Amino acid sequence: MKNFSILIISFLLWTDLYSQNCFDAANVYSFEFNGVQYDIVKENKSWLMAAECADKMGGILAEINSQAEQDTIFYHLNNAGISAADIVAPDGGNASYVWIGGTDLDEEGKWIWDGSYDGLGSQFWQGARTGNVVGGLYNNWGNEPDNFGEQDATGMAFTNWPYGKAGQWNDIAISNKLYFIIEYDNSTVKLSDVNYSYSSQYILIYPSFKFDFDSVQVHVNDSLNSTIFNVMKEDSILISDYSVSESKNVSVRIYAFENGKAANSRKHNIEIFKKLNPINSYYTDFEESPSSDFMGENFLITKEFGFLSKAIHSPHNYEANKDYTYTLLKPIIVNQTNPMMSYSDIAIVEPGAEGSVFGEVAFNDYVVVEGSKKLGEWIPVIIGYDSNLFPEWKNAWSSGGLYRKLFKTHQINLTDTFDPGDTVLIRFRLHSNSTVTGWGWSIDSLQIQDFPLGTSSYDGVEFSFSLKQNYPNPFNPTTTIKFNLPERLHVTLSVFDILGRKIVELLNEEKIAGEYEVQFNSLSASGGKGLSSGVYFYKITAGSYSSVRKLNLIK
C-alpha cells in the first residue's frame, strides 16, 4: 500500500522549494531604505508572475511613497549591473523598465499599490494622464498613464522614453517580461495556506509572522469569527472553530495587532464541508444531475453541446492560473475488499514538455483525482495526467475533433493511498499554469466501491431490488450487467439507444430471489451488425420494480 507516498513527498518538497525560491539568488541585488530590505530581481517575469513571486517571498512589488524612496531605488537600479537591452517594453516606447507594485487591473483608472495582487492596497491615482492624485500620496508619472492597449501595471523607466525620462513611471502591459523590485513590507501578514478540518470542524491557518502580536482576529466572509491572543512569531498554525449547516465556499483573512498597529493578510478562499454520515459506496451516471452531491468552483453537471448525455464539465475553454475543483460531499469509508473507484473522462489540457513528469513545473496543466481524510490535506489517488496520456487525446489537443468519442476509463485502488476503514472525501482538480490553455475536462460514470463481485449462492440470503452499473464501463465489445431480486418475479432487461429505441432484449423470464449477472455483447446486437460508439441505456422491469442506467460503448 501507499504506492504514491514517494511521489507525494517529492511533489510537496518541490512545491515548498519553489515557494521559497521563485528566482535564483545569484540574480538578486539587495539594498536597504529606512530599515526595509529591497531586492532587485534580475529575471524576466510578467507583472502577475512577479507579484506572485514577491508574495511567496514574503514581500510585495515595491510601493513608493516618497521622493527619498524613489531616489534611493533609482540610484540602486543604476548600480545593479542591469543591461537595458534585457528589459525592453515595446509598448512603452521601446524603453527599458522594471516592475513596481502599482496596478489598475481591478478597475480601469483606479491605480492602487497592490504588489502582491490580493486586492489590498492604497489608491494613489485616479484617471489617465489628466487624472488626479488620491489621498495626497506620492506619484512620479511621466506624461502617463494613458491605457494604450490595456496597459495595467506600473514600470519604473530605466531609460528615457518619448513621454518621459529615466526614473519616471509609465503604465505598460502586464505581459511584458521585465526585472522587478521586491520590498519586504511590514504592513501585511503572509499566510502560506488556509485549510479546513472536515473531521474537527475548524479552520487551520498557516501564517508567517515577522513579529509577536498582542492578538490576531480571524475573519470569515468579512465577519469576525474568533480572536486569538498572545500570538508569537514562531507560531506556525492558528486554529479557529467553524461549524456549518451546509457546504460552501468562504473567504478567510486575518488581522494582527501589536501596540495599536494592525497588519492584515490577503484573502484566502477555501471550501468548507458540512460533516455528513459516511457511506460505503457511491455511483452516478449524472443523468439525474446530482449537483447537490458536489461542490466546487466552475465545474457543472450538464449536457454540453455535442455530447449525448450529462456529465461533469469544466469550463470550455478553461482559464490560465486556476485550480478548478469539484468535491464529492459524501464521505466514503474505504473498504477492505473491493476498494475500487472507476470513472470515465476526457482531458484535453495543455501537455507537458517532453520527458516531464507530474510535480515538475514543465508538466504544465494537468488533471488529478485526490482524497482527503484529515486537516484538509489532499493526496493524489492517481498520478496527475494531461493530454499526453492517450494518443487520441494528444491528437485532439493538436487538431480538435469530436470530443464525446474520446472517453477513457480509469480504475483506482483506494487502498494504494488510504487504509481500510479510513473515511475520505474525493475531489477532481484541474490545474492550469500561466501560459497556454485548452478545452478542459469532462468526467462521467463515477463508481466508488460499487462493482459486481461475481455470482454468489442465493440460499438463505435476503436481497433487496437493485440494478448495478455495468462493468466495465465504457466497454468494447462485452460488459456485465448485475441485478438483485427480493422475490420470485418476471423480469425483462433491455438495452435502448439515446432516442429510446429498443436495441436488444437480454432477458424476459421469471426468476427466483437472488443475485444475477447478464452478459451484453455489442457485436451481437442490432441484427448482428453491431453497435456504433455512443451512449446507450439498459432498463430492468421486475414486477412493480423498475430501474434504468447508462452504458458507454467506445470502439
Side-chain angles (χ1 to χ4, degrees):
M1 297 196 314
K2 313 299 182 292
N3 293 344
F4 293 107
S5 58
I6 294 176
L7 169 68
I8 294 163
I9 292 170
S10 299
F11 178 68
L12 292 175
L13 287 174
W14 167 81
T15 302
D16 184 60
L17 180 65
Y18 177 75
S19 68
Q20 298 179 47
N21 300 280
C22 51
F23 53 76
D24 189 334
N27 297 327
V28 175
Y29 173 98
S30 299
F31 64 95
E32 286 193 3
F33 172 74
N34 282 349
V36 175
Q37 180 181 326
Y38 295 74
D39 286 345
I40 300 173
V41 181
K42 296 182 284 184
E43 294 184 5
N44 296 97
K45 297 184 186 294
S46 68
W47 189 88
L48 285 173
M49 292 182 67
E52 179 184 22
C53 180
D55 184 60
K56 288 180 176 178
M57 295 301 294
I60 57 175
L61 294 182
E63 173 182 327
I64 302 176
N65 291 305
S66 68
Q67 187 65 50
E69 185 179 10
Q70 163 73 30
D71 291 344
T72 300
I73 291 175
F74 189 62
Y75 169 82
H76 286 287
L77 275 179
N78 284 279
N79 286 276
I82 296 174
S83 170
D86 293 334
I87 51 174
V88 173
D91 63 307
N94 283 315
S96 301
Y97 300 86
V98 294
W99 291 126
I100 56 177
T103 179
D104 72 341
L105 263 170
D106 286 344
E107 181 181 327
E108 180 57 38
K110 183 180 179 180
W111 288 91
I112 66 173
W113 291 116
D114 189 9
S116 57
Y117 193 49
D118 57 10
L120 304 174
S122 303
Q123 183 180 2
F124 64 91
W125 186 265
Q126 179 65 45
R129 63 181 60 176
T130 57
N132 300 288
V133 174
V134 176
L137 294 184
Y138 176 81
N139 77 92
N140 191 41
W141 293 112
N143 191 24
E144 297 288 340
D146 60 4
N147 197 40
F148 171 77
E150 297 186 358
Q151 296 169 315
D152 294 318
T154 306
M156 179 186 290
F158 186 65
T159 60
N160 295 336
W161 86 96
Y163 294 111
K165 60 184 181 181
Q168 290 183 327
W169 307 347
N170 189 1
D171 62 329
I172 52 180
I174 62 172
S175 56
N176 286 295
K177 300 295 180 68
L178 306 175
Y179 297 171
F180 52 101
I181 305 170
I182 298 178
E183 174 184 351
Y184 292 91
D185 176 55
N186 296 327
S187 64
T188 58
V189 174
K190 304 300 177 183
L191 303 183
S192 59
D193 203 2
V194 178
N195 279 315
Y196 185 69
S197 171
Y198 174 81
S199 58
S200 302
Q201 302 280 284
Y202 49 67
I203 296 171
L204 298 144
I205 301 166
Y206 303 89
S208 177
F209 292 132
K210 297 178 181 178
F211 311 101
D212 298 338
F213 291 98
D214 298 330
S215 64
V216 170
Q217 293 182 354
V218 179
H219 288 242
V220 180
N221 288 340
D222 296 321
S223 296
L224 177 63
N225 184 65
S226 65
T227 301
I228 304 167
F229 295 96
N230 299 320
V231 176
M232 302 290 103
K233 64 181 179 181
E234 294 83 9
D235 291 340
S236 58
I237 186 170
L238 303 177
I239 297 175
S240 183
D241 292 333
Y242 192 75
S243 59
V244 293
S245 59
E246 62 178 353
S247 299
K248 59 184 178 179
N249 293 300
V250 302
S251 65
V252 178
R253 172 184 285 173
I254 67 171
Y255 294 83
F257 300 90
E258 188 267 330
N259 289 333
K261 296 181 180 180
N264 57 274
S265 76
R266 64 187 299 179
K267 283 184 178 180
H268 281 247
N269 296 317
I270 63 171
E271 296 174 330
I272 301 290
F273 301 107
K274 176 185 176 182
K275 195 167 185 178
L276 299 174
N277 292 327
I279 57 178
N280 288 299
S281 63
Y282 182 82
Y283 163 76
T284 180
D285 61 5
F286 301 104
E287 288 308 310
E288 296 181 359
S289 296
S291 57
S292 61
D293 289 354
F294 293 85
M295 185 179 76
E297 179 187 356
N298 293 114
F299 280 99
L300 291 174
I301 297 174
T302 183
K303 181 180 177 183
E304 191 72 15
F305 177 77
F307 283 72
L308 300 178
S309 60
K310 293 179 180 178
I312 296 173
H313 284 272
S314 73
H316 304 311
N317 289 347
Y318 60 88
E319 296 181 19
N321 277 325
K322 290 279 189 176
D323 271 289
Y324 298 108
T325 62
Y326 211 47
T327 303
L328 176 64
L329 298 177
K330 297 184 176 182
I332 304 294
I333 302 172
V334 178
N335 290 341
Q336 176 71 52
T337 58
N338 195 32
M340 301 301 295
M341 172 179 171
S342 174
Y343 64 95
S344 303
D345 75 336
I346 307 166
I348 312 301
V349 300
E350 180 191 11
E354 185 175 354
S356 63
V357 298
F358 176 59
E360 296 179 346
V361 174
F363 198 67
N364 295 327
D365 301 350
Y366 59 82
V367 300
V368 64
V369 183
E370 299 169 315
S372 174
K373 69 175 182 178
K374 63 178 182 179
L375 300 183
E377 298 171 352
W378 292 98
I379 303 172
V381 296
I382 188 172
I383 295 175
Y385 53 92
D386 57 24
S387 295
N388 280 328
L389 189 61
F390 297 105
E392 297 91 336
W393 291 0
K394 189 173 183 179
N395 291 337
W397 169 262
S398 302
S399 56
L402 190 60
Y403 294 137
R404 69 169 181 251
K405 292 188 175 182
L406 302 181
F407 276 102
K408 300 293 182 180
T409 301
H410 306 264
Q411 295 182 23
I412 300 167
N413 188 326
L414 294 176
T415 56
D416 286 342
T417 310
F418 299 103
D419 291 321
D422 284 345
T423 298
V424 300
L425 292 174
I426 300 293
R427 79 174 182 183
F428 300 90
R429 178 166 66 94
L430 188 161
H431 170 81
S432 64
N433 61 14
S434 60
T435 56
V436 180
T437 63
W439 179 81
W441 200 12
S442 179
I443 304 151
D444 201 356
S445 300
L446 175 61
Q447 297 171 255
I448 305 176
Q449 301 182 152
D450 181 26
F451 292 84
L453 298 176
T455 305
S456 60
S457 171
Y458 309 142
D459 294 340
V461 179
E462 292 187 5
F463 293 94
S464 60
F465 174 78
S466 66
L467 177 64
K468 300 292 186 180
Q469 181 62 41
N470 65 299
Y471 183 80
N473 187 44
F475 71 99
N476 181 30
T478 302
T479 189
T480 299
I481 298 171
K482 185 177 180 182
F483 63 91
N484 291 349
L485 296 178
E487 56 186 314
R488 181 186 293 270
L489 293 167
H490 188 91
V491 179
T492 60
L493 178 63
S494 302
V495 178
F496 300 83
D497 66 13
I498 194 72
L499 299 177
R501 297 173 299 197
K502 183 186 292 187
I503 300 299
V504 63
E505 188 172 78
L506 301 176
L507 195 63
N508 188 348
E509 60 186 78
E510 190 174 273
K511 295 285 188 182
I512 64 172
E515 182 180 46
Y516 294 90
E517 290 182 0
V518 177
Q519 298 292 317
F520 172 49
N521 190 327
S522 65
L523 297 178
S524 62
S526 191
K529 296 179 181 179
L531 299 177
S532 59
S533 296
V535 176
Y536 297 87
F537 297 89
Y538 57 100
K539 177 180 180 181
I540 188 171
T541 301
S544 61
Y545 300 103
S546 181
S547 185
V548 178
R549 287 204 172 190
K550 178 173 64 177
L551 47 79
N552 292 290
L553 173 60
I554 295 181
K555 292 185 174 180

